[in-house]
Amino acid sequence: MTKHIIWDWNGTLFHDIDAVVGATNEVFKSYQLAPLTADGFRAVYTRPIWLAYERMLGRPLNEGEWEALDVGFHEHYFRLSAACGLAEGALATLASWTGTQSLCSMAPHSHLVPIVESFGITGHFNRVDGLVGATGGEKAAHMAAHIEALDVEPREVLVIGDSVDDGIAARHVGARAVLYTGGMTSRADLEATGLPVVDTLAEAIAHI
């Protein structure tokens, strides 16, 4: 029985695909690559992020290249994401759940907390965890630490996210997961996980 929902932020509750694609295109301008569309980005997206960048370039990243690209991406992303809003139905979906909820994101914690607060939704969550330290990696260890801090039973948790990595992280901790198509990952890649795939956040809640 599901008692707790762990939400992903970027691409799930926060509809920021345009900012992600825009920032990626900005940071790769000097590489003379054709600009990506949202679907083009979804075709190369994976975690760790540096593997997505290697897919785009068709070669391994050089020493120090990932760090420079990551810094550049975040500079553009923070600017562009100011124009982004919550996903369709996010407010209603958060309000509809009568159990407990939390937020576990791979976004930098110092950026995540104020932007969540800016939408007036912090009160829905009994914990909000972004990353402290390096970004771009995989979510499993971060999810495990989040669940440990919550003191909930993983079998009673439903993870709702927009990436294959969210599904992997849920399986890592022994939780269930539903994957949402409104973010960074193609439907085909989400369906390949064997997990339920939905097109709206309301549908995700229905899987409880």
Side-chain angles (χ1 to χ4, degrees), residues 86-99:
L86 294 176
E88 184 177 352
L91 286 173
T93 304
L94 287 171
S96 72
W97 172 239
T98 57

Side-chain angles (χ1 to χ4, degrees), residues 1 8 12 18 24 39 48 69 71 75 98 102 105 114 125 129 144 149 152-153 164 169 174-175 190 196 198:
M1 178 180 175
D8 174 57
T12 304
D18 290 341
T24 302
D39 285 341
L69 287 167
V71 168
E75 287 177 353
T98 57
S102 61
S105 171
F125 309 115
D129 282 329
V152 296
E153 290 293 328
V164 171
L190 295 178
V198 297

Side-chain angles (χ1 to χ4, degrees), residues 8-14 16-17 41-42 45 139 159-167 178-186 190:
D8 174 57
W9 180 244
N10 302 97
T12 304
L13 288 175
F14 188 47
D16 62 346
I17 183 67
F41 178 84
R42 291 180 177 118
Y45 175 72
K139 198 169 192 174
V159 174
I160 301 176
D162 71 307
S163 73
V164 171
D165 194 46
D166 288 310
V178 175
L179 302 179
Y180 166 62
T181 60
M184 317 302 172
T185 311
S186 70
L190 295 178

Side-chain angles (χ1 to χ4, degrees), residues 35-156:
L36 291 171
T37 62
D39 285 341
F41 178 84
R42 291 180 177 118
V44 298
Y45 175 72
T46 189
R47 279 194 172 272
I49 299 294
W50 52 83
L51 294 181
Y53 288 177
E54 289 179 344
R55 286 180 179 179
M56 292 174 63
L57 294 171
R59 61 165 176 80
L61 294 177
N62 298 321
E63 184 176 352
E65 195 172 15
W66 154 249
E67 290 79 4
L69 287 167
D70 192 48
V71 168
F73 169 84
H74 281 97
E75 287 177 353
H76 292 294
Y77 172 80
F78 292 149
R79 172 177 54 84
L80 295 170
S81 65
C84 298
L86 294 176
E88 184 177 352
L91 286 173
T93 304
L94 287 171
S96 72
W97 172 239
T98 57
T100 56
Q101 305 179 79
S102 61
L103 188 57
C104 182
S105 171
M106 299 296 281
H109 188 75
S110 60
H111 172 75
L112 176 68
V113 170
I115 195 168
V116 173
E117 289 177 346
S118 76
F119 288 110
I121 59 174
T122 305
H124 287 293
F125 309 115
N126 57 5
R127 189 171 185 90
V128 174
D129 282 329
L131 281 181
V132 177
T135 59
E138 296 167 302
K139 198 169 192 174
H142 187 43
M143 179 71 74
H146 181 76
I147 281 192
E148 184 175 354
L150 286 169
D151 194 26
V152 296
E153 290 293 328
R155 67 179 181 275
E156 297 174 345

